[in-house]
Amino acid sequence: MSARPARPRARARARTEPEAKARSPLKRRVELTLLRDRAHYDALVMGAVANARVSVWIATANVKELRVEAPIGSRARARGRYMSFLDLLDALAARGVELRLLHAGVPSRAFRAELRRRPRPPIEMRRCPRVHLKMIAVDGALLYLGSANLTGAGLGAKGEGRRNFEAGVLTDDDLLLDEMQATFEAIWTGAECKGCRLRPLCPGPLDELDKIPLR
């Protein structure tokens, strides 16, 4: 008895496989880390952000005062003391790191009080009420996308039983970085303002920033 010939269906599948790959350019292998709850604080805040060298871009719906551990080796750290997240940003700004914060809501009273303590804010802030995305891009090399707002409960700085249940991913994927940084830049520069149907309710359209006279 002769051997059974290969099934035509299998040959057809083998022929079309490369074509399917060509039609699906977004299917690729990427490196990403899942962050849940406390991991936001350890890997994102005290890891990626604290070690930034070039830039930190943050987009968040809500902004609240966030307390972080004092630097390793300091007396405050040895005593278990915490400092404002803005103190961490002060150190980054002193190293020449570009810091941007895009937010929707009015920052909390405690956060505003910390800002007023400083002769110059370490981070440039712009507000758009439509911002609900939560992202942090560090050095154009690492991207966080997830559910966490810029708050202590959101970014895992609160204690066990007090922090939020949050989840997100941290990745170095170039395509995602390009896409989300372009999205951030479009909002930041006011490119999205022209067609915005909520413009009459906006506290300050970002496309009008260049019209504000310098003092």
Side-chain angles (χ1 to χ4, degrees):
M1 181 181 294
S2 59
R4 179 179 297 178
R7 295 164 59 189
R9 186 183 302 173
R11 290 202 301 272
R13 186 162 58 245
R15 261 199 317 270
T16 60
E17 197 172 21
E19 297 172 7
K21 290 182 179 179
R23 291 196 301 268
S24 304
L26 294 181
K27 290 184 177 180
R28 62 196 189 283
R29 294 183 179 275
V30 300
E31 293 291 333
L32 60 83
T33 301
L34 174 65
L35 301 184
R36 292 181 56 203
D37 308 336
R38 170 75 187 196
H40 285 78
Y41 178 78
D42 295 327
L44 183 58
V45 177
M46 302 308 292
V49 172
N51 291 292
R53 297 182 178 182
V54 179
S55 62
V56 177
W57 291 5
I58 303 172
T60 178
N62 300 323
V63 182
K64 294 183 179 180
E65 168 64 350
L66 168 64
R67 308 295 292 181
V68 301
E69 293 166 290
I72 295 176
S74 66
R75 291 183 178 179
R77 180 63 174 261
R79 295 172 181 172
R81 293 182 179 175
Y82 284 71
M83 64 182 188
S84 171
F85 179 65
L86 288 169
D87 290 326
L88 173 61
L89 297 186
D90 282 334
L92 294 178
R95 299 205 301 260
V97 177
E98 179 194 47
L99 303 171
R100 294 182 178 184
L101 174 57
L102 187 61
H103 60 106
V106 176
S108 70
R109 182 181 301 176
F111 186 91
R112 299 197 307 270
E114 281 290 338
L115 276 179
R116 287 194 295 269
R117 286 199 312 106
R118 293 160 168 76
R120 175 179 297 181
I123 189 167
E124 185 177 0
M125 300 172 61
R126 296 187 181 181
R127 184 182 173 200
C128 169
R130 290 176 59 191
V131 171
H132 201 260
L133 69 154
K134 290 84 177 180
M135 67 165 277
I136 299 179
V138 179
D139 296 343
L142 284 175
L143 175 69
Y144 167 78
L145 289 175
S147 62
N149 280 302
L150 186 62
T151 68
L155 288 174
K158 295 285 187 180
E160 188 70 30
R162 297 182 62 199
R163 69 177 71 99
N164 294 346
F165 296 118
E166 306 278 5
V169 294
L170 186 63
T171 181
D172 62 355
D173 181 63
D174 289 338
L175 291 184
L176 284 180
L177 276 159
D178 289 347
E179 179 74 18
M180 293 311 302
Q181 287 181 130
T183 298
F184 186 104
E185 184 73 9
I187 301 170
W188 183 265
T189 59
E192 298 286 352
C193 293
K194 184 177 181 180
C196 181
R197 296 187 179 183
L198 298 182
R199 190 182 184 99
L201 305 176
C202 185
L206 297 180
D207 62 350
E208 295 183 355
L209 285 180
D210 60 348
K211 300 176 184 178
I212 300 176
L214 296 177
R215 295 180 180 180

